[in-house]
Amino acid sequence: MGDDLLAQIRLGGAVPRHVAIIMDGNGRWALDRHLPRPLGHRAGMNAVREVVEGAIEAGVEVLTLFAFSEENWQRPPTEISALMDLLEEYIAREVDELREQGVRVHVLGDRTRLVPGARAAVERVEHDTRDGTRLSLNLCISYSSRAEIARAARLLAEQVLAGATKLEDIDEAAVQEQLYTAPWRDPDLLIRTSGEQRLSNFLLWQLAYTELLITPVLWPDFSRRQLFEAILDYQRRERRFGKVTA
Ligand code: IPE
Ligand code: IPE
Ligand code: MG
């Protein structure tokens, strides 16, 4: 499925090496079908599988998915517990296949807030996929970008107080090194589903020069075809980074 688009991507030039996605619209997908919201989240889980496979096929190296924000802790407890259960279920169901596909999973965010079962599942998937080299899959869970930046500031301040870092050595690279995303280049392409035109506290530092693509498709309906179309759209763009074209 989507082989025609994959062939176009091969001819289209550079593939975005790092794709980030705000997976939004599960609740509206359920509402449209008169289903409870957790069933929308369950349907969204299948879209994650699609996109992981599509990313590997297209040659994307890093896929960073926004699954649950720090602000999402303010949702009703029943929805939160359904999401935590789904996280555990997703990991239990997918961990072997992820490992076989060469995917390495990292979970970014404040994992101390996760329920013990979800936290154990997160640690298990990171451990069991640690040898993967084909795709880095970053799951942002209990993540907020401002909290991440404040944490980086705190870590740098600690280093200065301990005498390990000099004040004048704190530059952009030093900040970047303290972010959860330190091991990876900045996203080349950000996709947000469900049509909302905002970042919702996602990767505010890292998205400085990222290409943005907002699609009206609700996350559970997002398939590898849509990922491939987004990549083709990206390939038609000119990235200037503030410079002029030669
Ligand atoms: C995205 O879907 C998943 C999470 C934020 C956990 P939503 O649950 O936000 O779905 P909508 O935006 O209400 O449709
Ligand atoms: C952003 O979606 C967070 C995730 C997709 C995990 P939200 O649904 O929480 O964002 P807002 O509230 O519409 O900005
Ligand atoms: Mg939403």
Side-chain angles (χ1 to χ4, degrees), residues 23 25 82 87 102:
M23 309 187 289
L87 173 63

Side-chain angles (χ1 to χ4, degrees), residues 82-102:
L83 280 162
M84 291 296 128
D85 289 350
L86 274 176
L87 173 63
E88 284 183 52
E89 190 184 321
Y90 170 78
I91 290 172
R93 200 178 82 183
E94 302 286 327
V95 63
D96 290 337
E97 183 154 352
L98 290 167
R99 194 182 43 235
E100 280 157 26
Q101 290 169 318

Side-chain angles (χ1 to χ4, degrees), residues 25-31 33-46 79 82-83 86 220:
N26 295 348
R28 277 162 282 170
W29 185 92
L31 195 71
R33 289 162 181 74
H34 309 285
L35 296 170
R37 291 176 59 88
L39 288 186
H41 297 311
R42 177 170 288 281
M45 202 162 75
N46 297 324
E79 181 166 348
L83 280 162
L86 274 176

Side-chain angles (χ1 to χ4, degrees), residues 24-25 28 75 192:
D24 197 14
R28 277 162 282 170
R75 293 189 178 194
R192 182 167 189 153

Side-chain angles (χ1 to χ4, degrees), residues 22-24 66-69 72 75 192 196 198 200:
I22 302 175
M23 309 187 289
D24 197 14
F66 201 8
F68 190 81
S69 71
N72 290 150
R75 293 189 178 194
R192 182 167 189 153
E196 305 297 359
R198 54 178 172 263
S200 303

Side-chain angles (χ1 to χ4, degrees), residues 156 169-178 205:
L156 286 170
D169 288 339
I170 297 182
D171 54 11
E172 290 185 19
V175 175
Q176 196 268 339
E177 273 170 36
Q178 301 304 325
W205 174 283

